[in-house]
Amino acid sequence: MSEKLITEEKRVFMTGNEVVAWAAVAAGAEIMYGYPITPQNEIMHYWTRLAPKYNRKFLQTEDELSAGFTTVGGVMAGRKAFTATAGPGNTLMQEPMSMAEAMRLPTVTIVQQRGGPSTATVIYSQQEVTMTTFGGNGEGLRIVYSTANHQELFDYTIKAFNVAWKYRFPTFVLGDGYQAKMRESLTVYDPEQKGIEFVPAEPYVGKPGTPGVDREPGHYRNTYNVEEELYEVLQGYFKDYAKMAEEVAEYQAFDTEDADVVVLSHGVVSRGAKEAVEQLRKEGKKVGYFRPITLRPLPEKELKELAGKAKKFLIVESAQGQFAKLIKDVIYGASVEIVPFFKPGVGITTDEIVGKVNEIL
Amino acid sequence: MAEVTKIMLAGEGGQGVQSVAQILAEAADNEGREALYIPNFGVEQRGGVSIAFLQISDERIGAPKFDIGDIVVALSDRAIYRTKQYVGENTIFVYDTSIDIPKEDLPQNAAKILAIPALEIAKNELHPRVFNVIILGAVVAATKVVTAEDAKKAIEKKLGYKFEQNPKLRELNYKAIDKGMELV
Amino acid sequence: MTVQPAMPKCWRPETKPHKFCPGCGHGLVLKALGEAIDELGIQDRVVFGCDIGCSLLAWDFFNVDSIQTHHGRTTPVMTGVKRANPDLICIAYMGDGGGYAIGSQHLVNAAARNEKITVILALNTVYAMTGGQMAPTTMPDQKAETAPYGRNVEETGYPTQGPEMVAAITREGAYVARGTTANLKQLKSYIKKALQNQMEGRGFSFVEALSACPTNWRTNAEKTWNFVQKEMPKYFKVGEKKVPGAEEKEGQ
């Protein structure tokens, strides 16, 4: 049994689901709990093939409620635990994730978005943005990375475990069916060789010593007797979240300085947006590119700044404005005109974005 | 911006279009080029037309799917109707001569329409199982996205374990590539 | 006036008197559980999970690590803990609504997978925390807030037979029993055996405890005990339903 899956940096060519399984092994994830749903299934397939070789575990649960709650149990036992889901599975996952929010549990969830609402398609969408960022009966106290390519799937899956355990907010890697199923190249590496330090996991329950004798018992709850008690707890959480946001929010941007139109996108759609902006710039058109990598927390300062400069925001997404809502909330009051380009549940090509920009320039 | 070659392959389930796309993608990747391959999947893959989107370039590739292909290969009548929307004025459209379809139903706007007797050759000269490898050869010749040599290497990588057991199979596959290249 | 008996050692004195209503059966079940933990000497290894419903009031009941979860979800949370750290002794504590209604798929599948956890379920025939609605275990003709004229078995079926169901779907290695708060000595022995079954890694263990809810039953002490001792056992037969090794013995 070799100790590490990846001993040296190398270029590989694989599907996104395989990338996630590799990244989870590389990140030191110890146990996966999962329930089958397309298009995330192959994450479990690859994980179950790799896990016994690297002393990792897997449990196939009876549904996504159970997958989420067992993941909650796994992290409380002090293990780096994760799950993966999509679509209606993500809907069920909101219940355990609201418990993770309430109890500040460092769960990691990979979401490979599929069409919605309901069963819809097993193929692709960006329609799980609202649910993944603000799902459950909570306040969106989550960290959500929206990846665009296989390199990012690898990088941010590794990062998700670290960020989750550092800040203790449930963390999500928001992919989609395209990223799950497509094949492209990426460079895989051993994070520690790259100087990435692993944030250690710590048990919530089962610490050494007898509770009440050698130490206080760990009593973990998500229920409060009085309104004021809940309010106080949440104020602390919001403060922590705001502090974390400054350190965690990430984005990519270029050519925004003098841009009349800035194309805003996230996830896989930003690939086409990037290409479109590059193409239009070559033609001398004043177009810029902005893409939040974290959808929760958003890079608010940069977005506000940009909204004060650009004439128009073209917001492009494979949903009917779920991403746009997040943006509009941040830039409320700015003069920038918002032009929507929504194709719910459908992929968006470079040419389509170029066409739309030319229409509004 | 680097040139991107956009390839679409479509056929019935079992015709092996996804394998062709995957082999081409891996051949390009082995050469150190960038490739992005995505199958259509979902309910459609069960009893529907199987479509592969493949892009090859020297630089990172943008959106995973595209509107218009540089080459569109359709291997059944249903596949022809399904892929018409991906044909533009610069598209080379390839279909198998065995498909019985009225001429006017072929995509009229294509730059070039190629009918190739891949199925016939597979049946009569080689083996029905290498039908898709003949198609692979034709795509390689038409697009030059990878060399014949690299395509063969990629096949070796994928089917090498089978070739070990039966070296004749290797010969058959290589011959199919060469035959396919001759067709274009 | 009787002398107050000693508390189990693993109870947390700071949170006593507990938060349950007068006459509630939870205190008795948790007493049996506490004594079982004491006698087995596992206080340092126990993780206690409680559901929503009245069982949540036990979140700070013991001097053991405890997790209060959601309605019906204690079984998967304890499963997750146990799978991640098999050295811990995981106890999922719930009521009949949590176990047999909203969390029934978790109970069924944890039992079928033979998870090495212990589920203890207090059965009081009603949803107590939410105000006395009909539960899967409400007795025929018994009145409840959502069955004000009594449970009509034609419309709503008969009370769930939990241990019988769990016994039917588990295989060798599982321990399943139904005890009652009317016989604490026996209940404790069942809970002890269930925990030992987990400690020895044999399989899933499940104990249902017949329990009282005078608040929602609106009964006085006499009627309460009459219900627990006489009425409930008409449908819910007390005793061991599955004991490891019994199947082998049968075959001999």
Side-chain angles (χ1 to χ4, degrees), chain B residues 5 8-9 11 13 29 32 48 56 62 85-86 93 100 114 123 139 141 147 161 165 170 181:
Chain B
T5 307
M8 170 170 288
L9 294 139
D29 180 70
I56 295 171
Q85 58 171 306
Y86 298 100
F93 185 80
D100 188 19
L114 282 176
K123 270 188 189 158
V139 174
T147 64
Y161 69 101
Q165 290 163 359
R170 177 185 288 120
M181 292 185 73

Side-chain angles (χ1 to χ4, degrees), chain A residues 165-217:
Chain A
W165 280 95
K166 183 172 178 188
Y167 299 101
R168 306 289 170 105
F169 289 107
T171 302
F172 298 78
V173 177
L174 185 65
D176 58 70
Y178 283 179
Q179 294 186 70
K181 299 280 187 173
M182 73 188 200
R183 286 168 199 268
E184 70 173 351
S185 72
L186 72 149
T187 302
V188 296
Y189 50 83
D190 169 23
E192 283 177 308
Q193 276 179 18
K194 276 233 172 182
I196 297 171
E197 273 178 47
F198 287 142
V199 177
E202 284 171 8
Y204 291 70
V205 295
K207 290 177 190 162
T210 302
V213 180
D214 310 313
R215 62 172 172 93
E216 283 296 294

Side-chain angles (χ1 to χ4, degrees), chain C residues 99-145:
Chain C
Y100 300 148
I102 194 168
S104 59
Q105 79 273 37
H106 305 311
L107 177 64
V108 164
N109 284 281
R113 286 194 306 262
N114 211 16
E115 295 290 347
K116 315 290 188 287
I117 62 169
T118 300
V119 175
I120 298 173
L121 185 147
L123 186 160
N124 60 12
T125 73
V126 285
Y127 285 88
M129 178 65 95
T130 47
Q133 295 82 5
M134 188 180 76
T137 49
T138 299
M139 305 276 283
D141 300 322
Q142 183 186 344
K143 284 180 181 161
E145 287 301 326

Side-chain angles (χ1 to χ4, degrees), chain C:
Chain C
M1 194 81 190
T2 50
V3 177
Q4 197 70 18
M7 264 185 218
K9 198 164 62 65
C10 65
W11 277 23
R12 185 167 175 80
E14 294 91 322
T15 58
K16 305 293 169 299
H18 57 60
K19 309 178 187 89
F20 299 108
C21 304
C24 172
H26 275 297
L28 295 171
V29 181
L30 295 173
K31 182 162 191 269
L33 173 60
E35 288 176 359
I37 291 171
D38 286 352
E39 287 170 26
L40 293 167
I42 52 173
Q43 189 182 343
D44 59 336
R45 287 202 284 153
V46 163
V47 178
F48 175 79
C50 56
D51 223 76
I52 302 282
C54 293
S55 76
L56 81 81
L57 298 173
W59 70 274
D60 59 355
F61 196 93
F62 293 105
N63 263 329
V64 304
D65 289 342
S66 307
I67 305 171
Q68 172 257 318
T69 76
H70 286 185
H71 199 20
R73 316 300 177 216
T74 308
T75 307
V77 172
M78 287 300 110
T79 296
V81 172
K82 183 73 181 184
R83 289 270 179 167
N85 185 356
D87 293 336
L88 301 173
I89 308 296
C90 296
I91 301 166
Y93 185 63
M94 64 196 68
D96 41 302
Y100 300 148
I102 194 168
S104 59
Q105 79 273 37
H106 305 311
L107 177 64
V108 164
N109 284 281
R113 286 194 306 262
N114 211 16
E115 295 290 347
K116 315 290 188 287
I117 62 169
T118 300
V119 175
I120 298 173
L121 185 147
L123 186 160
N124 60 12
T125 73
V126 285
Y127 285 88
M129 178 65 95
T130 47
Q133 295 82 5
M134 188 180 76
T137 49
T138 299
M139 305 276 283
D141 300 322
Q142 183 186 344
K143 284 180 181 161
E145 287 301 326
T146 50
Y149 305 107
R151 181 175 189 166
N152 178 346
V153 294
E154 287 303 312
E155 282 177 8
T156 61
Y158 282 87
T160 300
Q161 301 286 299
E164 287 76 4
M165 171 183 75
V166 173
I169 58 173
T170 45
R171 301 296 290 266
E172 175 56 31
Y175 177 84
V176 185
R178 178 185 287 119
T180 172
T181 49
N183 186 348
L184 274 193
K185 209 174 141 203
Q186 182 196 50
L187 178 62
K188 183 177 79 182
S189 81
Y190 290 166
I191 290 175
K192 224 170 133 178
K193 282 193 206 175
L195 290 171
Q196 275 169 327
N197 204 51
Q198 178 179 173
M199 289 160 71
E200 284 158 24
R202 280 201 290 258
F204 189 69
S205 48
F206 181 68
V207 179
E208 182 191 272
L210 304 185
S211 181
C213 181
T215 302
N216 283 296
W217 294 352
R218 296 180 185 132
T219 47
N220 60 20
E222 191 194 336
K223 282 186 176 160
T224 301
W225 279 108
N226 184 60
F227 198 75
V228 174
Q229 283 180 308
K230 304 258 171 63
E231 292 301 315
M232 289 173 80
K234 285 182 185 166
Y235 275 92
F236 307 112
K237 306 287 179 210
V238 172
E240 290 183 316
K241 308 293 171 184
K242 192 168 207 135
V243 178
E247 283 174 22
E248 286 158 35
K249 275 181 214 152
E250 273 170 29
Q252 280 166 359

Side-chain angles (χ1 to χ4, degrees), chain B residues 89-164:
Chain B
E89 55 188 15
N90 296 316
T91 307
I92 302 169
F93 185 80
V94 182
Y95 72 105
D96 193 87
T97 44
S98 67
I99 303 168
D100 188 19
I101 187 170
K103 256 222 154 77
E104 61 272 21
D105 279 4
L106 293 170
Q108 304 300 326
N109 56 336
K112 201 164 150 190
I113 296 181
L114 282 176
I116 59 170
L119 190 62
E120 196 188 312
I121 291 170
K123 270 188 189 158
N124 299 338
E125 296 178 35
L126 298 165
H127 190 284
R129 264 169 57 192
V130 293
F131 167 62
N132 65 332
V133 184
I134 298 175
I135 297 297
L136 175 85
V139 174
V140 168
T143 60
K144 309 209 167 41
V145 280
V146 297
T147 64
E149 216 34 57
D150 285 316
K152 284 175 184 171
K153 266 191 227 158
I155 288 189
E156 186 74 37
K157 219 171 159 184
K158 198 174 161 79
L159 298 174
Y161 69 101
K162 277 190 182 170
F163 297 167
E164 291 300 316

Side-chain angles (χ1 to χ4, degrees), chain A residues 257-274:
Chain A
E257 272 309 306
D258 62 339
D260 290 333
V261 173
V262 176
V263 180
L264 275 91
S265 61
H266 75 96
V268 82
V269 172
S270 64
R271 299 170 70 114
K274 180 168 179 278

